[in-house]
Amino acid sequence: MTNRGRRRASTGAWWARRTRGRRAAALATCGVLVASLTTGCWAEPSAMPAVRDFLIAWQVGNYEAAAGRTVGVDKGQVEDALSRVRQQLDAASLRLSLGTQVAGSDVDQIVKKDDEADARFTVKIDLGENGQPWEYPGLMHLRRVGGKWKIIWSPSIIHTKLKPGQRLAVVTEVPERAPITDSQGRPMLREVGAYMAGVFPGQLADPQKTLTVLAKQTKIDGGRRLDAERLLGRVQSAPPQDFLPLLTLQVPTHNKLIQRLKHVPGIEFRAVRAPIAPAYAPELVGSLGPATADRLQQVGAPYQPGDTIGVSGIQLLQQRRLAGTPTIRVVAQDETGRNTEELRSWPGQKPQEVQTTLDPGYQQRADFALRDVPSPASMVMTQPSTGAVLAVSNHGTGGRNLAFEGSYPPGLTFGIVSAEALFSKAGMNQTTETTCPSSVTIGGTTFTNKARKDSNFATHFAASCKTTLAQLSTKLDAQTLLKEAGQFGIGQSWGLTVPAFNGSIPTPANDGEKAAAMIGEGRVRVSPLAMALVAATAQNGSWRPPYVLKDVPKAPGQTPPPQYLQAEPVASLKKVLGHTAKYGNARGARVSSDVVGVAALTTYKDGDRTRTVSWFVGAAGDRAFAIAVEGRAFTPAIAKKFLTGR
């Protein structure tokens, strides 16, 4: 979105509200100003008191008193000109001091010759919402009239380059927003129809009424509102004859709001097509929207009401990188709104593209695999050799990125971690003889499943024998289990640049909790991304920190180092997962010989509600993925659909 030549200013009422808290500080500053101006020789009439009183009155906002020290034009005209300086610049503060404030300068503060005098002073302005400091030298001419010194009024007192009929303005030049792209450098946003809702400031009969109604009618994303006072300041400072956009509303998402706003007097609409909708992975990519009051607090300066900003996902997290920062120019404008001269400028930062690791081919497959699932479902695919996230899909999740942020018990898919711990710390492998009784009690907790005849670990794992792992929990202490889970990244720092749940496995309080943790129940919680990384670690023999954004700077030490597993236990683990995909609970997904994995269904309590989650966690070549469905589902069929693309 590009909005050029936008001026940042505020209303008198708004300025009055903003300055109430500052007035005390300004008055305190006046003590310093007075002290600096009242020294000197009073043996003959001096211009100093007139200069002093004028500067103090202007600084504290007593424009009537300041105008009383001038001659040359109507006092009301002087009051009006001085009072508008803060509004025209959206200034948070204005400070005045005698002299040029230039180090080593030998220029006199006041130069007097007979009944004429020139006084030099310095203006320091905090440009408030525009976030820039501005300091410049000022000059005023005085004349003794009737024995009293008076300031000869001229707009050049406000700024030496300001001429009659001109005013100050802050012009903001906003660059075009940079794209979010996929791993192949192609934009991930598509053009959609939208409306820019705005006003022609000069045509509003009652700007305050129009904008108050606009703010009341505009409830966006759960009740977010626009800041009516800040909008009013912007409207009153804008060129009266130009269309001023205040909202960009996407169709059909905001159709109801568009219809409501059509009944607000003075609101005009301009139809546009803009690349603002994610082509895929919308929960990760995020969306653009109006700069509501709370969002402005989140993103900060230099963004203001009427701007279109990132409101979720990567669009919000990388707002400053994608949008850059505007070029700010202070200009003199004539009565028609034409910029006549630039007085000061601060160059902005150029927007930068944000490239993701998402592969459009795999992303399409992931979306296709989940498309017909009747329950909320999420899927993540990573590259085991690098940690890059290749696909992230959410279906029926209400806009939540549960693929990254979901929190579920992993059930027997956590057996990947438990098996590796048994192989590396308890001297077991896939051929170790085990039992699978229908029931077993560990530490007072009973675990049940369909009984199987005695066999080896790989066979019982493939048959979803919870009692097998529960019994084997006695071979590991709690800290060993937690440490091995950390080797797979669970509960560890990932250094990811987007929100994600890295999993949690609290220290078991007793043997029963430890046995429950071994089968992924009890208090163990993971996200689909966490389990995709578990599959990737088993496949590659090392855990790599996940990442989804390329070339986005991180703080030193933010990215954790890879973690490496022992080769022999990993080899046994891959045989177990291969056996499970060929003969066991994951066999419906085996479309090629390199597919490994495990499926699971687990029921758990969420407060007073009983919930079910169905899992598939697996890998094929340099691809690892996890699928979680909130309900009963045959996940191997979903995995097959993903792997084959049909």
Side-chain angles (χ1 to χ4, degrees), residues 46 138 149 166 181 205 224 234 245 265 320 383 421 458 466 480 549 581 585 616 644:
S46 170
W149 286 100
Q166 294 181 339
T181 60
R224 290 185 166 94
R234 186 170 188 184
R320 191 166 292 266
Q383 187 174 46
K466 293 194 293 184
T480 296
L549 302 182
N585 56 48
F616 189 96
T644 62

Side-chain angles (χ1 to χ4, degrees), residues 68 72 117 122 129 189 220 283 286 297 319 330 389 445 453 499 586 632:
T122 298
E129 301 297 339
L189 300 178
I220 301 171
E283 299 83 2
Q297 290 182 351
Q319 163 65 20
V330 178
V389 177
T445 302
K453 64 181 181 180
R632 291 182 177 273

Side-chain angles (χ1 to χ4, degrees), residues 265-426:
I267 300 297
E268 303 279 347
F269 291 88
R270 294 289 182 270
V272 297
R273 289 194 64 81
I276 58 178
Y280 51 84
E283 299 83 2
L284 175 64
V285 173
S287 59
L288 300 171
T292 53
D294 60 328
R295 287 169 177 163
L296 285 172
Q297 290 182 351
Q298 188 173 3
V299 300
Y303 310 109
Q304 295 203 26
D307 289 344
T308 296
I309 62 174
V311 298
S312 64
I314 296 171
Q315 292 281 26
L316 172 61
L317 296 169
Q318 297 295 322
Q319 163 65 20
R320 191 166 292 266
R321 180 182 176 95
L322 289 164
T325 57
T327 292
I328 307 296
R329 298 191 298 129
V330 178
V331 299
Q333 286 189 335
D334 62 22
E335 294 174 350
T336 67
R338 182 175 64 91
N339 299 338
T340 59
E341 186 170 3
E342 179 180 297
L343 306 179
R344 182 74 162 85
S345 66
W346 295 265
Q349 295 178 346
K350 183 179 179 180
Q352 298 180 62
E353 170 188 328
V354 171
Q355 186 175 18
T356 72
T357 58
L358 298 185
D359 181 285
Y362 289 129
Q363 182 66 44
Q364 185 177 13
R365 286 191 181 192
D367 292 339
F368 173 70
L370 301 185
R371 185 176 62 187
D372 298 325
V373 177
S375 305
S378 303
M379 179 177 184
V380 179
M381 177 181 176
T382 67
Q383 187 174 46
S385 61
T386 64
V389 177
L390 302 181
V392 50
S393 184
N394 293 276
H395 170 74
T397 63
R400 295 171 297 167
N401 186 15
L402 295 183
F404 277 27
E405 300 179 68
S407 176
Y408 310 105
L412 279 173
T413 63
F414 190 79
I416 298 173
V417 176
S418 300
E420 191 278 335
L422 290 168
F423 296 165
S424 63
K425 303 301 181 184

